[in-house]
């Protein structure tokens, strides 16, 4: 018999960047375990695949558009009456191997607008709704590179800066909303294999060698950590980061 402490059955969730990669894996994990999931992504064509996951609302939108994110939260609440879980997952990276002095201003802005401003644009209306409800789980998706620099493998200054900011924003929001029945905990993945990133080349071999478990994770291995943060299992956790990296940060 499964332990109900990990249940998300009947909960209303919003997942950004849900059309592909870990976002799709997370939306699928929530839907598979009984949640009603609003899947949001700027790629409307790819987003259509989410409709087959279960009780799903598809929301074509860009996380860099604050008004669009307010509308997305409003539509989710209009559909299901609440927003119990919000996974701020949408993110992009700068080109690997680019040192800061070679990083163009437009590339820096693109990464920080999606990875940091996008979290703000998602969290702001989500937290407002959770305050009205008196409960909720906000899960910003950062990265193991929010805790250490990736330059040992490939310099990514904009990505490292934005994900580090998300980790510290999580600490701040955890403390701010702790008295209000809202938990804010970041999910920090390491190297994962997805359909968009099969990771079968020389870089993938370097990633596996860099990981103490000597392998790259499969996309569905994000399900357990996500369900922990999305369910009652994390009711006495807030302002922290759950790192899922095969031991990289333990090096």
């Amino acid at each position: 018999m499964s332990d109900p402490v990990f249940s998300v059955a009947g909960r209303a969730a919003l997942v950004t960047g849900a059309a592909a990669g870990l976002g799709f894996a997370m939306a699928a994990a929530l839907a598979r375990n009984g949640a009603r999931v609003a899947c949001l992504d700027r790629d409307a064509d790819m987003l259509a695949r989410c409709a087959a996951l279960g009780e799903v609302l598809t929301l074509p939108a860009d996380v860099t558009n604050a008004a669009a994110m307010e509308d997305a939260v409003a539509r989710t609440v209009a559909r299901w009456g609440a927003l119990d879980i919000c996974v701020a997952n949408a993110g992009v990276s700068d080109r690997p191997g680019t040192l800061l002095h070679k990083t163009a201003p437009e590339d820096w802005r693109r990464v920080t607008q999606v990875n940091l401003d996008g979290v703000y644009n998602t969290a702001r209306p989500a937290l407002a709704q959770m305050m009205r409800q008196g409960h909720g789980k906000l899960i910003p998706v950062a990265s193991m590179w929010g805790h250490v620099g990736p330059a040992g493998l490939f310099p990514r200054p904009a990505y490292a800066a934005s994900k580090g900011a998300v980790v510290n924003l999580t600490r701040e929001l955890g403390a701010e909303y702790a008295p209000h029945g809202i938990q804010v905990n970041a999910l920090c993945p390491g190297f994962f294999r997805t359909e968009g990133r099969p990771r079968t080349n020389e870089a993938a071999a370097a990633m596996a060698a860099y990981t103490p478990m000597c392998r790259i994770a499969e996309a569905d291995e994000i399900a357990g950590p996500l369900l922990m943060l999305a369910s009652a299992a994390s009711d006495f956790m807030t302002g922290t980061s759950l790192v899922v990296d095969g031991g990289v940060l333990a090096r």
Side-chain angles (χ1 to χ4, degrees):
M1 181 180 295
S2 61
D3 192 329
V5 76
F6 293 101
S7 176
V8 294
R11 306 279 181 89
L14 170 65
V15 180
T16 69
L22 286 185
F24 183 78
M26 288 187 276
L30 290 167
R32 191 167 60 244
N33 286 277
R36 300 169 293 181
V37 187
C39 296
L40 184 146
D41 202 283
R42 65 182 179 181
D43 190 330
D45 292 336
M46 284 288 289
L47 191 60
R49 65 192 290 227
C50 293
L53 293 177
E55 192 173 355
V56 167
L57 172 66
T58 56
L59 299 170
D62 190 325
V63 297
T64 65
N65 184 325
M69 295 310 299
E70 289 184 6
D71 179 67
V73 169
R75 290 178 62 187
T76 301
V77 175
R79 177 73 171 266
W80 292 311
L83 177 60
D84 303 301
I85 303 158
C86 181
V87 185
N89 165 73
V92 296
S93 183
D94 34 343
R95 293 170 298 191
T98 303
L99 298 175
L100 182 64
H101 72 282
K102 294 182 179 178
T103 301
E106 58 270 22
D107 290 339
W108 176 272
R109 285 193 295 270
R110 179 183 66 91
V111 173
T112 56
Q113 283 172 354
V114 175
N115 293 3
L116 185 53
D117 295 352
V119 170
Y120 166 77
N121 291 338
T122 303
R124 185 170 179 268
L127 288 168
Q129 173 61 29
M130 291 173 181
M131 284 289 286
R132 288 189 286 270
Q133 299 168 176
H135 72 273
K137 304 279 187 178
L138 174 63
I139 307 170
V141 178
S143 169
M144 66 180 182
W145 300 132
H147 294 270
V148 294
L153 279 181
F154 31 65
R156 289 187 177 180
Y159 188 81
S162 61
K163 294 301 186 180
V166 170
V167 166
N168 210 38
L169 178 61
T170 297
R171 296 186 183 105
E172 172 66 16
L173 296 181
E176 287 183 8
Y177 291 90
H180 303 288
I182 299 166
Q183 293 81 54
V184 185
N185 293 292
L187 187 57
C188 299
F191 299 124
F192 275 74
R193 179 179 287 111
T194 66
E195 73 280 5
R197 292 184 175 182
R199 301 196 189 280
T200 56
N201 55 17
E202 185 178 340
M207 292 173 190
Y210 198 77
T211 303
M213 285 189 178
C214 303
R215 67 179 181 88
I216 295 170
E218 300 299 329
D220 61 4
E221 291 183 273
I222 203 66
L226 172 69
L227 291 173
M228 178 183 177
L229 295 184
S231 68
S234 61
D235 277 357
F236 200 58
M237 292 173 58
T238 199
T240 190
S241 297
L242 183 56
V243 180
V244 189
D245 69 348
V248 171
L249 295 194
R251 294 174 64 92

